[in-house]
């Protein structure tokens, strides 16, 4: 059945205490009770509409979490102080001796968490090519608790076959956790079989690059387990989001569908132009992208293929020249992160994937000249293209067709 995340968010209505169209922002860390017995009850179990202490829940965070749960067609959600807070809180469900099977091509911070930090607590990870389902199956053992994937991977834009990965996980009693940061609204991993979705709200969902935030979306039982006062990883690790930020993100969430369409439209335009001029470009909406048909099968209609695109400039020096030229030409900013209304670009090998050792980057296909673009909401993308074309020329980026000609 067709699912429309934007309509689900649109129908989420909450009001402030005077009927304000935006809900009031909770400005308290703690809440009074008239009856001590009620306080005891609330401490023991979550009671709808009752709040005890803001690390546990506060009303503003709950509104944002409820809206995000609707967007993913889920029972429940919890918002966090960062995307990494959401990921680490979720993966802390693993105990010493447990294993994780994770995509080889993932965000560098997640890689470092799995490779360097979690082993200190006895949790180990096997990194595999998630496109190779036999390799994923072979990596699973009785101790595998989680398969971890990104819906569209950072930075190479590989699309995860969520239904197939969910089956592999469930056959072995493991959970499939999907990071949906690159494709909010476009892909709905829980509807495709995943057990938990995490997002960095810092990116598209907030969309204004003015704060850091994250969320975990799943079943009510899973989110309740994160909030258990005795053993919940959210409750005890404490990555609580500030209520003022939650209020801002909730307002921005209501325009996410329009922004995603425009990011996708602009990225598709530029990807097609670059490809037609012979440049080495990766974008899931291009027919040349190996996962275009998989993406078409999994995506919600109407939001496009997303705003992320990569361009291989051939080598690091040329990539640097190009990025400086693009910034000077006001195409966007040389900056990490994504989902901002302006175009952002950076070289993953020297920034957001630099935590991954060079040999593993090479195995995953992250070359030295690779530039990752988060395409902005430019009103006149044809005009942007003309600027980009001049920058490609001045930085000496060679179209792929010319590389081949030079090899021959
Ligand atoms: N997941 C992905 C795919 C990311 O790209 C990032 C950050 O770049 C994160 C998670 C971490 O999010 P945050 O920076 O909000 O902690």
């Amino acid at each position: 059945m067709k699912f429309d995340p934007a309509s689900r968010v649109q129908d989420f209505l909450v009001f402030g205490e005077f009927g304000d169209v935006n809900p009031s922002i909770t400005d308290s860390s703690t809440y009074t009770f008239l009856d001590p017995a009620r306080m005891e009850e609330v401490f023991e179990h979550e009671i709808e509409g009752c709040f005890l202490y803001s690390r546990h829940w506060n009303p503003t965070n709950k509104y944002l979490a409820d809206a995000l749960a609707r967007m993913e067609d889920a029972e429940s959600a919890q918002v966090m102080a960062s995307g990494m807070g959401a990921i680490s809180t979720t993966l802390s469900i693993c105990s010493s001796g447990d294993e994780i099977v994770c995509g080889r091509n993932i965000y560098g911070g997640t890689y470092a968490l799995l490779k360097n930090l979690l082993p200190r607590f006895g949790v180990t990870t096997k990194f595999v090519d998630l496109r190779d389902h036999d390799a994923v199956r072979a990596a699973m053992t009785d101790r595998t608790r989680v398969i971890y994937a990104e819906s569209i991977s950072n930075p190479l834009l590989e699309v995860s076959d969520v239904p197939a990965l969910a089956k592999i996980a469930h056959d072995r009693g493991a959970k499939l956790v999907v990071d949906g940061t690159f494709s909010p609204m476009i892909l709905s991993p829980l509807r495709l079989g995943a057990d938990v979705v995490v997002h960095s709200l810092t990116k598209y969902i907030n969309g204004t690059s003015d704060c850091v935030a994250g969320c975990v979306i799943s079943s009510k039982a899973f989110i309740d387990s994160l909030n258990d006062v005795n053993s919940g990883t959210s409750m005890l690790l404490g990555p609580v989001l500030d209520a003022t930020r939650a209020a801002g993100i909730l307002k921005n969430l209501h325009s996410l569908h329009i922004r995603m369409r425009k990011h996708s439209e602009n990225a598709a335009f530029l990807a097609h132009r670059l490809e037609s001029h012979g440049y080495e470009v990766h974008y899931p909406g291009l027919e040349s992208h190996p996962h275009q048909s998989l993406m078409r099968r999994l995506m919600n209609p109407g939001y496009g293929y997303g705003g992320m695109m990569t361009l291989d400039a051939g080598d690091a020096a040329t990539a640097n020249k190009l990025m400086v030229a693009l910034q000077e030409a006001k195409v966007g900013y040389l900056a990490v992160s994504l989902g901002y209304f302006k175009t952002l670009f950076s070289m993953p090998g020297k920034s957001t994937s630099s935590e991954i050792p060079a040999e593993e980057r090479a195995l995953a296909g992250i070359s030295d000249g690779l530039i990752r673009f988060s395409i902005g909401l430019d009103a006149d993308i044809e005009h942007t293209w003309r600027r980009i074309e001049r920058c490609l020329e001045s930085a000496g980026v060679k179209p792929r067709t010319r590389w081949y000609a030079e090899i021959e």
Side-chain angles (χ1 to χ4, degrees):
M1 198 178 55
K2 184 172 168 286
F3 171 69
D4 185 13
S7 309
R8 296 295 307 277
V9 171
Q10 184 187 317
D11 286 347
F12 179 74
L13 302 176
V14 274
F15 302 99
E17 57 191 317
F18 302 106
D20 332 12
V21 292
N22 290 309
S24 316
I25 299 174
T26 307
D27 195 25
S28 297
S29 57
T30 192
Y31 303 81
T32 57
F33 285 79
L34 297 176
D35 174 6
R38 187 70 167 160
M39 179 187 264
E40 205 177 320
E41 220 182 325
V42 173
F43 200 83
E44 293 299 327
H45 329 271
E46 193 191 321
I47 297 177
E48 194 65 40
C50 284
F51 295 90
L52 177 84
Y53 185 61
S54 282
R55 169 155 51 82
H56 191 206
W57 271 121
N58 74 64
T60 316
N61 285 8
K62 187 93 176 83
Y63 292 145
L64 176 60
D66 287 349
L68 289 164
R70 289 182 69 89
M71 179 183 88
E72 294 287 4
D73 200 18
E75 286 176 359
S76 194
Q78 167 86 332
V79 292
M80 311 268 172
S82 68
M84 284 314 295
I87 295 166
S88 54
T89 302
T90 300
L91 294 180
S92 300
I93 59 167
C94 293
S95 305
S96 178
D98 284 347
E99 295 170 2
I100 297 171
V101 172
C102 179
R104 182 183 280 160
N105 172 16
I106 51 160
Y107 167 56
T110 309
Y111 174 88
L113 171 73
L114 295 170
K115 180 86 176 179
N116 306 330
L117 187 60
L118 291 188
R120 283 168 41 191
F121 303 96
V123 178
T124 51
T125 299
K126 290 180 186 150
F127 294 94
V128 297
D129 182 346
L130 289 183
R131 295 166 300 178
D132 181 349
H133 295 165
D134 289 335
V136 179
R137 264 186 228 100
M140 306 283 291
T141 71
D142 292 343
R143 295 309 306 255
T144 308
R145 189 88 193 272
V146 167
I147 296 183
Y148 187 90
E150 291 175 352
S151 55
I152 298 183
S153 72
N154 183 358
L156 287 174
L157 312 180
E158 287 169 1
V159 181
S160 289
D161 188 342
V162 174
L165 293 174
K167 176 149 188 355
I168 297 172
H170 298 159
D171 283 350
R172 296 298 295 260
K175 281 190 191 305
L176 175 64
V177 177
V178 177
D179 180 336
T181 301
F182 273 34
S183 57
M185 296 209 164
I186 298 172
L187 292 165
S188 301
L190 294 180
R191 288 181 59 86
L192 298 170
D195 301 283
V196 182
V197 175
V198 291
H199 284 282
S200 166
L201 302 178
T202 316
K203 313 291 164 36
Y204 285 107
I205 292 181
N206 185 45
T208 43
S209 287
D210 55 359
C211 76
V212 173
C215 69
V216 183
I217 307 174
S218 185
S219 63
K220 182 169 179 338
F222 185 80
I223 300 298
D224 285 353
S225 76
L226 300 183
N227 284 316
D228 186 285
V229 287
N230 294 306
S231 59
T233 52
S234 175
M235 187 63 183
L236 300 177
L237 297 173
V240 68
L241 176 62
D242 181 75
T244 315
R245 287 306 188 183
I249 298 168
L250 178 59
K251 282 179 280 210
N252 290 352
L253 177 63
H254 284 279
S255 62
L256 177 63
H257 58 300
I258 303 170
R259 291 185 279 114
M260 288 316 291
R261 281 185 195 124
K262 190 65 180 167
H263 283 298
S264 294
E265 185 188 307
N266 284 352
F269 179 93
L270 293 177
H272 280 105
R273 275 293 161 93
L274 285 162
E275 187 170 68
S276 69
H277 283 69
Y279 293 100
E280 180 80 19
V281 60
H282 282 274
Y283 180 67
L286 290 175
E287 251 167 54
S288 57
H289 191 283
H291 302 155
Q292 199 215 29
S293 60
L294 170 66
M295 177 105 180
R296 260 209 305 267
R297 177 156 61 80
L298 303 183
M299 69 207 278
N300 295 316
Y303 302 99
Y305 292 86
M308 302 303 294
M309 180 187 90
T310 65
L311 172 74
D312 197 332
D315 59 74
T318 311
N320 280 334
K321 258 195 229 161
L322 176 62
M323 292 191 297
V324 169
L326 290 169
Q327 181 156 259
E328 282 170 0
K330 298 190 170 66
V331 170
Y333 297 126
L334 168 49
V336 295
S337 203
L338 51 126
Y340 187 41
F341 46 79
K342 296 253 188 225
T343 293
L344 303 178
F345 38 84
S346 58
M347 238 167 32
K350 302 278 178 218
S351 57
T352 51
S353 301
S354 58
E355 296 91 338
I356 305 174
E359 330 70 81
E360 289 182 44
R361 283 205 305 271
L363 261 180
I366 305 170
S367 58
D368 286 347
L370 191 80
I371 303 176
R372 186 190 75 179
F373 287 84
S374 164
I375 303 299
L377 301 174
D378 304 24
D380 182 353
I381 198 67
E382 181 80 55
H383 178 63
T384 304
W385 164 248
R386 286 195 293 275
R387 288 179 168 175
I388 293 176
E389 218 181 356
R390 283 197 293 274
C391 294
L392 287 161
E393 196 63 32
S394 71
V397 182
K398 292 179 188 153
R400 182 178 37 182
T401 39
R402 248 198 280 164
W403 297 355
Y404 295 150
E406 280 172 18
I407 293 166
E408 280 163 12

